Structures are given as structure tokens and as C-alpha cells.
Amino acid sequence: MTFSHRTAETLRDAARQMRNLPQADYHLLYDFLRTTMGKIVRVEAFYVGFFRRNHTLAYPYTYDQGVYESPGVLTYGKHGVGAWLLQHKRTYAYAQDGGRLLGMGHRFGDTERVSRDAVITPLIDRGYTAPRVIGLASMQSYEPSSYDADAVRAFEWLTGVLVVVLRREHEDTLALRELTAGQPLLEPAGSSFTDLVVEMSDRLDKIRVSITRLQTAVAEGHDVSGDVDELAALCTRVQQETFAVLTRPQDEALEAQSLLTQREQEISDLICRRMGNQQIADALSISVTTVKTHVYNVMQKLDVAQRSEIITRLRPLGYDSV
């Protein structure tokens, strides 16, 4: 990829700073992604989502014209952008079909306005034997023809950096786990229940401190309009950060998936969709005997005794359960 000198400098600086952001500060990470693209092109609406089970997408970050929308989980249809990205593993641009595919999805932000240009790129984790689409990121504009081919390439490059940062956090967790191997622990290393409680407590403590400061200012008769706005912004950020932490992929599932070959990953996908051996054989054009061999190997690698346990091990990654 080649970019103009100015765009290349912007992307290079952004990549360096994104890699140095505090771990688990997902709001700041996604905010940085949006504001960086805003230096290059017009970005009025922006969101980041991650695929979950049962045809759902978790959206920890949604922004529209200066307003942060509440995070949430939505179901995506088989003909929408989410399904298209999973199937094609490449970027969707408004110019492909005049926004037809975009219009089939859920509306965000100001529903009275319609995006006139958009770029939605898959977040592809290449840390597996076969690259996997783990989520998506979208930038949109209410003005037509806002994004040319260079803007698409810049967005793809920067979202690639985002996935690397997320993958690095996972690998750091695995490295810490190796340090404690064989040692007695109250909780396993990584994203344990205790870790989540501590993270949530820290976020809520920020709000408590701000409320206390606001109460003091009111008691002293000070103008608190600015403090109220600051507290509202803090609540929005904490809400997004909390949602992002609770919906991130589990380290155990990521680690388990990386043990499988590309064919084993394909078969695991179909098992998690409740397909039997014959159905899998028909879908992949292989024999039932070959399917059984792969299933056995998957069970051995995941250290499970029953076929149904494969779903339990891998479902946190976002596999469909139907």
C-alpha cells in the first residue's frame, strides 16, 4: 500500500500511539481510531462491533455527530452487512451497490438522516491458522462521495493495527499465564472473574469521585453546569468501557482455536452450528470417515471427551449455536 506523505505520517503516528495506549482502555482505542480517520476524511458516524453467538453483534462503541450512543447487542440477518463480511472477508463500500446492503441493517444515531457514503471493514485476526473475522468497523458520512479508494485502504490499514493491538493483549495474557504455570493461584491468570470485578470497580469509582466533587461544588454555591456535562460524558465512557470488557473474546477460547488446523477450524464451525457428520461431509465435499477423523483430532486438541463440549469451548468466540 502506498499513501500520500501526509496520510502516511498520520497513519504511522496513529499506529505508534495505539500500540502505547493503556491496555483494556477500549473506549480510548476506538476513539483514537475514529479521530485518526477524521483527520484524513470526513467521518460523521462511526461504530465498532464484534461477532457473538446466535447471529448477534456486540457494539461497544457507537458515535454519531458528536454523540456517543449506548452500547448494545443486535441480531444481524443473513442478507445484511455482517453476514456479507463473514462470507467475503473483505471491505464493503457504499459505492458497490449504492448503499443497498447498508440499508438492510440496523439504524444508528440520528435515524432521520441517511448515510450517503460508508466503508465497513472486517476486523480480521490473522493469528489463527486460517484468518478469522472477529468483528467490524464502520465510518460513515452524510455527504456523498466522501470516501475514495485511498480512504478505504487507509481505513483497512488502521483497523489492521487495531486487531494487532487486541491480539497483543491476548498474547500478553498468555505470557503472564506461563510465568505462573505450576504455581498455586487463587484465580487463573487472564480474564478471571476477579479481574472483571476489579475493572468494573475502578470504573464505578471514577463516577463516585466525580459525584462527590459535584456535591461539594453545589454545597458551596458554585456553578456546576460544566461539571454536570463532564459527569455525563464520564458515565457514557464508563458504560462503553464496561460493555467492551464484558463482551471481549475469552482468552481460553482464543487459545483453544489457535490449536486447530484450517480444516479443523472449518469443521468446528459447522459443529457449533449443530451439524451432524453427514451434513459436514456434504458441506465440505469430504467423506464421513474423514469428518470423524477430524472431529476426533479436534476433541484431542481441545481436551474434551464429548462432541458437545467442542461448542462449549469455542462458543465465546462468536459461533452460532443454531
Side-chain angles (χ1 to χ4, degrees):
M1 289 186 183
T2 58
F3 302 102
S4 68
H5 177 72
R6 180 177 179 181
T7 298
E9 285 298 314
T10 299
L11 294 175
R12 185 179 299 112
D13 182 62
R16 180 170 54 252
Q17 295 190 55
M18 287 171 69
R19 291 188 176 101
N20 291 322
L21 292 175
Q23 285 196 6
D25 194 339
Y26 301 107
H27 174 92
L28 185 59
L29 183 61
Y30 306 145
D31 220 37
F32 203 87
L33 177 65
R34 175 184 61 81
T35 56
T36 297
M37 289 307 304
K39 296 177 182 178
I40 300 173
V41 292
R42 184 188 189 100
V43 179
E44 292 172 301
F46 191 93
Y47 64 80
V48 176
F50 293 94
F51 290 101
R52 311 297 292 178
R53 60 181 180 271
N54 298 330
H55 294 277
T56 58
L57 269 166
Y59 294 93
Y61 184 96
T62 308
Y63 172 96
D64 184 51
Q65 302 178 94
V67 177
Y68 294 104
E69 303 292 332
S70 297
V73 178
L74 296 173
T75 301
Y76 62 90
K78 61 181 180 180
H79 300 300
V81 176
W84 189 92
L85 293 176
L86 285 172
Q87 178 183 356
H88 296 282
K89 294 183 174 62
R90 60 184 176 86
T91 297
Y92 165 80
Y94 187 98
Q96 289 178 206
D97 58 3
R100 182 190 63 81
L101 194 61
L102 179 68
M104 297 177 68
H106 291 278
R107 300 285 295 277
F108 290 93
D110 185 355
T111 57
E112 298 298 318
R113 304 187 68 182
V114 178
S115 295
R116 301 295 302 279
D117 204 356
V119 177
I120 307 177
T121 185
L123 302 180
I124 301 178
D125 190 344
R126 304 185 185 280
Y128 302 112
T129 304
R132 291 185 54 80
V133 177
I134 61 172
L136 53 84
S138 173
M139 61 177 183
Q140 302 182 21
S141 171
Y142 294 117
E143 295 295 327
S145 305
S146 295
Y147 308 127
D148 57 16
D150 288 339
V152 173
R153 291 188 298 113
F155 194 37
E156 290 174 334
W157 189 89
L158 199 57
T159 53
V161 175
L162 170 65
V163 175
V164 169
V165 172
L166 296 175
R167 163 58 65 170
R168 182 199 64 184
E169 180 178 330
H170 163 64
E171 292 176 345
D172 287 348
T173 298
L174 295 183
L176 290 174
R177 185 175 299 165
E178 290 180 2
L179 290 177
T180 59
Q183 300 179 17
L185 294 173
L186 294 177
E187 291 282 350
S191 301
S192 66
F193 177 75
T194 298
D195 295 327
L196 294 177
V197 170
V198 170
E199 289 187 52
M200 296 306 100
S201 178
D202 287 344
R203 285 162 169 76
L204 293 175
D205 193 54
K206 292 179 183 178
I207 295 178
R208 183 190 60 78
V209 171
S210 294
I211 291 175
T212 300
R213 185 170 60 246
L214 185 61
Q215 289 172 328
T216 301
V218 170
E220 296 175 352
H222 298 304
D223 179 11
V224 297
S225 57
D227 293 321
V228 170
D229 292 339
E230 181 181 335
L231 178 59
L234 176 61
C235 288
T236 298
R237 175 166 179 173
V238 169
Q239 180 187 34
Q240 292 183 337
E241 289 177 345
T242 301
F243 187 86
V245 168
L246 294 177
T247 58
R248 64 191 177 194
Q250 294 184 11
D251 294 326
E252 291 80 5
L254 291 169
E255 184 179 9
Q257 183 67 25
S258 65
L259 298 173
L260 307 180
T261 66
Q262 179 175 352
R263 177 61 85 183
E264 290 167 352
Q265 289 178 25
E266 292 172 347
I267 289 176
S268 296
D269 282 339
L270 300 181
I271 290 175
C272 290
R273 289 177 172 82
R274 309 292 184 178
M275 293 178 63
N277 288 344
Q278 186 62 61
Q279 292 174 301
I280 295 174
D282 294 341
L284 300 179
S285 298
I286 57 179
S287 70
V288 174
T289 300
T290 300
V291 172
K292 291 180 179 179
T293 299
H294 284 304
V295 171
Y296 174 80
N297 290 336
V298 169
M299 292 172 61
Q300 292 295 306
K301 290 183 178 182
L302 299 184
D303 191 26
V304 297
Q306 298 181 11
R307 180 193 183 98
S308 60
E309 293 181 71
I310 295 175
I311 302 175
T312 304
R313 288 292 306 276
L314 300 179
R315 183 177 290 179
L317 284 173
Y319 285 104
D320 299 325
S321 61
V322 295

